[in-house]
Amino acid sequence: MMNEQGAMGVLATAYMPPGAFWVAANRMVVVPSANRLAAAVSSVGNDPPRRVLRLCKDEYYHKQTYRNRAVILTAQGEQRLSVPVSCPRGPYTPVEDVRIDYAKNWQRDHWRSLCTAYNNSPYFLYYRDELEAILVQTRPERLWDLNWRLIGFFVKAFGLNWTVEAVSRRELSNLRASAAGHAEANPTALVHAEAMAPLAFSDKTPQLWQRFTPSVTPETYQNTFMQTVDCPARLSSCDLLFNYGPQAGTLFA
């Protein structure tokens, strides 16, 4: 990331991403391809920057991150949902090669948990069919494909006029070099070459939750069970969508 005015960057994929994911994405100013970088730089400070959500497809997969996890709220408090996966190359498996394990019916369990938690929320019935079609009625082989469909669904549901792009580490390296060159030529440009490593959220990085907390605060945000939420930034997109509907997009500023 760069600063509150916008930054070029890329995110790691996430399963039903936490609220902090969207706040971080909203602070990124990116163009669809490196050869349009100069145009984006020149527009900073004049026209509103275009939001392009960039996801790294071949970064190495790390366990215990929100790449395959999500947190929802139930009557008993927080509940963690985890997609079982297998990594053919161990710790050196690119995230696009991570396989989903269907030995157990986790899709049914996740959907039942979502229904129990949000059936009485204001917007659940409005969005449930489309989300169920992605989460339950398909069996994608790769975690990347599942997350890609879910992220696209939330972009649309939140009413975000964003484009979602998949990029490789090589493309990031080229973009980093281009960004460094433009920053040298134009010191006032909001470009930071070091800000382009994929940003991934995990429970081991509490500073990220604090930095990318949505506009709602623990004092004002309550779920349908009237429970006070300690960290809205950590909650799944489902919690924001089912409680706020299309207005959830206003919380990411």
Side-chain angles (χ1 to χ4, degrees):
M1 300 309 102
M2 178 67 175
N3 56 36
E4 301 305 314
Q5 297 177 354
M8 292 193 172
V10 63
L11 283 166
T13 186
Y15 174 62
M16 296 193 294
F21 175 97
W22 301 105
V23 178
N26 192 53
R27 295 178 185 175
M28 295 177 181
V29 180
V30 195
V31 289
S33 58
N35 61 5
R36 294 182 61 186
L37 181 61
V41 172
S42 63
S43 69
V44 174
N46 299 316
D47 300 325
R50 178 186 179 187
R51 263 59 177 183
V52 179
L53 174 54
R54 224 180 211 135
L55 303 174
C56 187
K57 62 184 179 180
D58 60 352
E59 50 141 355
Y60 291 142
Y61 175 82
H62 297 280
K63 297 180 179 179
Q64 298 180 344
T65 66
Y66 283 63
R67 291 173 176 87
N68 71 320
R69 295 184 177 189
V71 176
I72 63 173
L73 285 174
T74 70
Q76 290 73 43
E78 289 187 359
Q79 178 180 346
R80 296 177 180 273
L81 305 179
S82 179
V83 178
V85 297
S86 61
C87 300
R89 305 180 194 174
Y92 299 102
T93 302
V95 68
E96 65 179 344
D97 292 334
V98 174
R99 266 39 184 181
I100 299 176
D101 185 355
Y102 291 97
K104 294 183 179 180
N105 197 346
W106 63 268
Q107 292 174 292
R108 177 199 61 194
D109 295 340
H110 285 200
W111 184 246
R112 285 180 177 177
S113 295
L114 288 170
C115 291
T116 300
Y118 300 111
N119 186 56
N120 293 324
S121 62
Y123 293 94
F124 179 73
L125 293 180
Y126 186 80
Y127 295 106
R128 64 161 293 164
D129 290 345
E130 190 172 356
L131 181 59
E132 183 181 15
I134 299 172
L135 195 59
V136 180
Q137 298 175 9
T138 63
R139 288 172 62 94
E141 181 181 354
R142 305 185 303 169
L143 178 67
W144 172 265
D145 294 330
L146 173 63
N147 289 355
W148 183 268
R149 295 172 190 173
L150 288 168
I151 289 171
F153 162 74
F154 286 114
V155 167
K156 176 184 175 182
F158 288 146
L160 301 174
N161 187 23
W162 293 1
T163 299
V164 184
E165 290 186 350
V167 297
S168 67
R169 287 179 294 170
R170 173 173 293 183
E171 290 172 321
L172 287 178
S173 178
N174 293 338
L175 185 59
R176 186 180 296 114
S178 298
H182 283 288
E184 183 178 351
N186 183 4
T188 62
L190 298 179
V191 179
H192 195 288
E194 299 302 322
M196 294 183 189
L199 178 65
F201 290 91
S202 75
D203 292 334
K204 297 180 180 180
T205 55
Q207 70 278 6
L208 287 180
W209 301 120
Q210 297 171 4
R211 183 176 181 185
F212 299 112
T213 298
S215 299
V216 292
T217 64
E219 290 74 21
T220 60
Y221 186 91
Q222 292 183 329
N223 67 348
T224 53
F225 304 104
M226 301 307 294
Q227 297 170 328
T228 300
V229 178
D230 293 330
C231 184
R234 191 171 62 244
L235 296 179
S236 165
S237 303
C238 290
D239 199 272
L240 291 172
L241 181 63
F242 293 149
N243 282 294
Y244 285 88
Q247 290 76 33
T250 65
L251 305 176
F252 307 145

